[in-house]
Amino acid sequence: MQECRVNRAMNYLNLRLPPSKPPVAWLLELIDRGENALVEFKGSLQKEGIETLTAFANTQGGAVLMGVSDAGAIVGVTVQAETVQGWINQCKQITSPRIIPDIELVQIQNKTVAILSIGEYPIKPVACKGRYFKRVGNANHQMSATEISDAHIKLINSSWDYHPDPEHTRASISEPKVQAFAAAIKVEASINNVLKSLNSSNKAAPPLRVTYYFRKTMYF
């Protein structure tokens, strides 16, 4: 189970666990390498940890190892019943667009280390309390007005058809909402035929690729 958790977190770091090493030993080796463009150590979450997550989201993804000191010592974190949900709520409350990291708890040296992972976000830039950061080396840098503007322009010029949505399936689509949207934009084609075409396609097809508007309004 722990190996699966570490593997999942390492996906965000574009790294693979070598088969010859236990996952915890490999994670300790990663900690020994120190902070870098994909890894940050934090004793607790707080605003600085969330700023780091937004910096990762605005760059190429990464992971915050919570319960690890700046010097790389395993200090651990205290986790209670609502702790993980509390961390998620903290991230949602002060980020825009809201980000929700994957959180995995791993036992190292009889202490709990929380791995908060996030991939590069398709909607950039992501802000933390109105401020925008990017990851440069092992530090977060506040983005300039030009960099923020460039990120917005890239988003406008990109097509959402190319961004996968792993959180939903075809069964998640609300037909009444699709029909209402089609009527609003005066689409004459039968929505039933469109949905039928989707349902009859290969079941092994990749996740839905949808526009941002569709993603926000067309699910149940």
Side-chain angles (χ1 to χ4, degrees):
M1 177 64 71
Q2 187 155 263
E3 181 172 357
C4 293
R5 290 175 176 173
V6 176
N7 266 306
R8 182 180 178 185
M10 293 306 107
N11 285 339
Y12 287 104
L13 308 182
N14 298 316
L15 299 170
R16 292 183 179 179
L17 288 173
S20 59
K21 287 188 177 182
V24 172
W26 193 90
L27 190 57
L28 284 169
E29 182 178 318
L30 182 67
I31 293 171
D32 286 341
R33 297 176 189 173
E35 296 176 324
N36 54 51
L38 299 172
V39 177
E40 174 105 346
F41 303 152
K42 290 293 179 187
S44 59
L45 186 58
Q46 302 183 351
K47 189 182 75 168
E48 291 75 15
I50 300 175
E51 286 178 351
T52 298
L53 288 170
T54 62
F56 286 147
N58 286 329
T59 315
Q60 54 182 330
V64 172
L65 306 186
M66 200 158 60
V68 181
S69 72
D70 291 340
I74 309 297
V75 296
V77 291
T78 300
V79 178
Q80 298 176 343
E82 300 297 324
T83 299
V84 172
Q85 187 58 52
W87 291 336
I88 292 174
N89 291 340
Q90 282 182 262
C91 292
K92 291 167 60 178
Q93 288 168 1
I94 65 172
T95 59
S96 179
R98 293 187 295 183
I99 59 172
I100 302 176
D102 281 338
I103 301 178
E104 304 295 342
L105 304 177
V106 181
Q107 295 299 312
I108 303 178
Q109 299 175 358
N110 295 320
K111 296 176 182 177
T112 301
V113 172
I115 307 175
L116 284 71
S117 310
I118 193 153
E120 181 178 354
Y121 213 60
I123 313 172
K124 291 192 287 285
V126 179
C128 177
K129 284 197 168 182
R131 302 172 69 195
Y132 299 86
F133 299 89
K134 65 178 181 178
R135 190 72 173 178
V136 180
N138 64 352
N140 303 327
H141 289 244
Q142 189 166 353
M143 297 172 66
S144 67
T146 300
E147 290 172 326
I148 295 169
S149 176
D150 288 345
H152 280 297
I153 291 172
K154 288 179 182 178
L155 174 63
I156 293 171
N157 291 334
S158 69
S159 171
W160 274 92
D161 291 338
Y162 293 96
H163 293 293
D165 178 8
E167 298 177 4
H168 299 91
T169 66
R170 296 180 181 93
S172 304
I173 298 174
S174 170
E175 184 174 332
K177 290 183 179 180
V178 174
Q179 290 175 329
F181 177 65
I185 62 174
K186 300 181 180 179
V187 172
E188 300 294 337
S190 168
I191 300 301
N192 286 332
N193 287 340
V194 174
L195 294 177
K196 183 178 179 181
S197 175
L198 284 172
N199 290 329
S200 63
S201 62
N202 188 348
K203 292 183 179 180
L208 290 177
R209 298 176 182 271
V210 293
T211 64
Y212 181 60
Y213 183 87
F214 189 91
R215 178 179 296 193
K216 288 293 185 182
T217 61
M218 296 304 170
Y219 295 125
F220 289 101

